[in-house]
Structure formats: C-alpha cells, structure tokens
Amino acid sequence: HSSELYDPRMISTPCRMKPSMLDTIASEFPNLQIIAGHPGFPWCNEMYESLWFYPNIKCSVCGMVDIKWLIDSMDGMDVSGVPFYEKFLFATDADYGRAGAEDYIRERTVFFKVFFEEAGKTKIWRDQSENFLYRNAKKIFE
C-alpha cells in the first residue's frame, strides 16, 4: 500500500476515510442523509468543504477531533444556510457492552457539555450542547 498513513493492523485507516469520498454520493443522492465520521481527521479541511457544499452530509464527533478546528467550524454554515452546529452530532468509538465503555461514553458526554459551556461562551452555538449530544442525530431519523 502506498499511503504513509496505512497501518495493516487496522481495518479502517485514515486513507479510507477522506471526506471528499462522500461528495459524489451526496451529490447523486441528495435525499440520502450521510453521517461522516470524526470530522474526517486528519482530513478536516475536506470535511469542512463537504459540510459546506452538501446539505445532506452531517458529521459525527467523537474522541478523534481537532478541538481548535471544531471551535472554528461550529461558526460555519452550509450553502443552504444551515449552521454547522446543526450538522455536528455526538458519537463514540466505544464498544457498547465492553468493560469501561459506558464510563468512556459518560466522560465524553461531560467533556462536550463543558466544551459548549467554556469554548462556546462567546459563540452563537454556546447553548447547543443538548442538540449536539442527541437532538441533531434524532432529527436524521425522524
């Protein structure tokens, strides 16, 4: 494999998760709701562009995220005027049922509540933690 990001021990690697790979699907199937994983890390700028161009692309945020990028991106909006803070939703890489997974999920939930309170103090998205943690995902399935 030619990519320096390739790791044969991993089933899914960053070279298989470029957000731009979703663009053609999003364009061909505009009614299909697509949830991209963990801000496309390390392809965060591609993720931003995909979120901007395609209203049907959303983004799950879990442990693998560039916090500065997330803070800056939350202020964005897509071409149809939907704020990015409505397109981000909480997710986790934890395996349900595995020892310690529930603790990890609770820790991440607390982290993101504090993130919205502290990092969002002067931002328009400061009151969006409940939407981020579950309502944004719920809207996709309604």
Side-chain angles (χ1 to χ4, degrees):
H1 197 279
S2 61
S3 173
E4 63 189 43
L5 296 174
Y6 179 74
D7 183 342
R9 298 169 297 176
M10 297 180 71
I11 293 170
S12 186
T13 64
C15 56
R16 294 184 185 145
M17 294 186 242
K18 291 178 63 90
S20 61
M21 294 174 146
L22 299 173
D23 294 356
T24 301
I25 298 167
S27 178
E28 291 296 317
F29 301 95
N31 294 323
L32 176 66
Q33 295 298 304
I34 299 171
I35 303 172
H38 46 74
F41 187 84
W43 317 108
C44 296
N45 291 336
E46 279 190 18
M47 185 75 261
Y48 190 93
E49 290 178 14
S50 295
L51 289 168
W52 188 81
F53 277 109
Y54 301 101
N56 56 329
I57 294 182
K58 312 295 188 281
C59 184
S60 68
V61 179
C62 62
M64 190 168 254
V65 61
D66 177 334
I67 295 299
K68 182 180 178 337
W69 179 87
L70 184 60
I71 291 169
D72 294 342
S73 297
M74 293 282 268
D75 290 332
M77 68 175 53
D78 71 19
V79 293
S80 65
V82 174
F84 279 5
Y85 58 77
E86 292 182 12
K87 296 183 78 163
F88 287 116
L89 49 115
F90 177 70
T92 179
D93 287 345
D95 301 323
Y96 288 103
R98 183 179 49 84
E102 289 79 14
D103 292 336
Y104 173 78
I105 294 166
R106 278 191 287 281
E107 288 171 10
R108 296 307 295 168
T109 302
V110 169
F111 169 82
F112 280 114
K113 284 183 179 184
V114 172
F115 168 79
F116 277 87
E117 290 170 9
E118 297 302 321
K121 271 185 183 172
T122 62
K123 304 288 189 175
I124 193 168
W125 46 265
R126 68 185 167 275
D127 297 324
Q128 296 294 314
S129 67
E130 295 299 312
N131 291 333
F132 172 81
L133 288 170
Y134 67 94
R135 288 188 190 117
N136 291 347
K138 183 180 176 195
K139 281 189 240 176
I140 293 170
F141 298 103
E142 293 181 329

